[in-house]
Amino acid sequence: MTAPRTRTADALDVALALANPAPRPPRSPEPQAGHDPAASADPEASASAAAVPWDEARRIAADAGRDAARHAEAEAEDEVEELPLPGALGRRLAAPLEALSDLPAFDTAAMDGWAVAGPGPWRLAGSGAALTAGRAPRPLPDGRAVAVATGARLPAGATAVLRSEEGIAEDTAEDGARLRARHRDPDHGRDIRLRGSECRAGEQLLPAGTRITPAVLGLAASAGHDALAAPPLPSVALLVLGDELLVKGRPTGARVRDALGPLLTAWLPELGAEAIAAPRRVKDDPEALREALAGAAEEAEVVVTTGGTAAGPRDFLHAVLADLDAELLVDGVDVRPGHPMLLARLPHGAHLVGLPGNPLAAVAGVLTLLAPLLAARNGTDARPDPEAPLVAEVPGSGSRTGTRLLPAALGPHGLEPLRYHGSAQLRSLALADAFAVVPAAGAPAGAAVPHLPLRWGAA
Ligand SMILES: Nc1nc2c(c(=O)[nH]1)N[C@H]1C(S)=C(S)[C@@H](COP(=O)(O)OP(=O)(O)OC[C@H]3O[C@@H](n4cnc5c(N)ncnc54)[C@H](O)[C@@H]3O)O[C@H]1N2
Ligand code: MOO
């Protein structure tokens, strides 16, 4: 994707290139640009001993999603809804999509010109007015031609379409209007879309479970459907933790804006899930968190929390999960950012994805745990990550271990890591096309590395 270069070139130039020296932020004594305080404070010291390798965390999340799919399958039948076409977008087909008619439903002109019957020259039928799309034509006797527009239903007896640029129509005194081919007669069947050449009525076009994309809506409409049957998407309850978070206005005093409520709410449909409600704000208080989690687990298949995953004085997630007898499937992942992310199974079967509070770390948590969980829940097989060369060196991360996920622009020469990749920073993410997956030791320019595409696309 090269568009960000042209559309947002200035912003991208600022964000590009890990190796470039960072501009000094205005009126701020804080270091910036890859020297995010949260990222440079060495969390190794208190990192969970149970942290699993990044790939394994993704596998565990996908396994959990498959479990959830088996569980959901039993209940899905009662919940299938018939949705008018636009409303079914993003869901999955409950049943195979069948064609309700032949496609095309009739022989159709593929070009503007004349429908001809048999070899030329031809007598031009009718008043000379063209058959246009939507009109039912009368049969065309042998030796006749009639003007047609692209998409028009062809008359019975038509053997080919002669394109307008290939034919010469002239009025003759003795015989009325005549048509001849400029060079040679069209071959039999030329520029005719035959009835049923795309599909026959009753034919299966797509299997059950296919994601309903704009293309699927178009195909369903072409094939005669007004509505599609689809079970609801997995439901997600979003709990945003942190007394310091503001929901509007500028960051003031010691308080910051909640970035994750808006980001995650908007991302869920693309991840194949539906939020049950607006993000719920939860106080930094263990009892409030316990109640919120227990309530959310009753209402939603997946509970997503933000913040409170670490071991700070106001981080209560671990304690509350223990109190609820949750089973921790992943407790910390060997990845930066996003290290303290977690995945748990709550007592009545709902899954909980605990995203770190630092916003870029939370996004890493979505890609590592939530996306594989939901994809597998929706029956999507994991595909190998695409690879692309790094256009610039990524230096090693010193004493730190773990896979690194770096927001990157994907251009014609490969992946260009972006500068603002600190775990509290979203500036580069907003311009990124993908996360480059880089080992802790770093990688030289030109090395092919896997990447996780951001399907929303920054272009
Ligand atoms: N001693 C240690 N401290 C920390 C470690 C560690 O291993 N040892 N890990 C660090 C890492 S890595 C991360 S990531 C964070 C994770 O912290 P929490 O998940 O507990 O998140 P909070 O403490 O609640 O918040 C962290 C940070 O993020 C801001 N935040 C929270 N929610 C939002 C939101 N919705 N929108 C915008 N910003 C948000 C919050 O204000 C804090 O600044 O822990 C490190 N610490
Ligand atoms: O570095 Mo944390 O990993 O700030 O997510």
Side-chain angles (χ1 to χ4, degrees), residues 250-280:
R250 299 173 194 195
T252 49
R255 303 186 68 188
V256 298
R257 277 291 295 275
D258 164 28
L260 292 172
L263 188 158
L264 296 172
T265 306
W267 201 357
L268 282 180
E270 198 190 287
L271 293 167
E274 241 160 38
I276 56 166
R280 173 145 181 226

Side-chain angles (χ1 to χ4, degrees), residues 223-313:
H225 292 271
D226 302 320
L228 291 173
L233 292 173
S235 53
V236 170
L238 195 53
L239 305 182
V240 174
L241 283 46
D243 290 348
E244 77 282 19
L245 300 175
L246 296 165
V247 292
K248 59 180 189 175
R250 299 173 194 195
T252 49
R255 303 186 68 188
V256 298
R257 277 291 295 275
D258 164 28
L260 292 172
L263 188 158
L264 296 172
T265 306
W267 201 357
L268 282 180
E270 198 190 287
L271 293 167
E274 241 160 38
I276 56 166
R280 173 145 181 226
R281 327 247 149 216
V282 184
K283 284 194 142 330
D284 285 333
D285 166 75
E287 193 42 41
L289 180 57
R290 212 184 92 87
E291 258 177 47
L293 281 185
E298 307 245 308
E299 291 176 74
E301 219 182 295
V302 182
V303 181
V304 175
T305 57
T306 64
T309 58

Side-chain angles (χ1 to χ4, degrees), residues 406-425:
L406 295 169
L410 184 56
H413 304 295
L415 289 161
E416 213 158 343
L418 302 173
R419 173 179 291 148
Y420 300 97
H421 60 275
S423 67
Q425 301 176 332

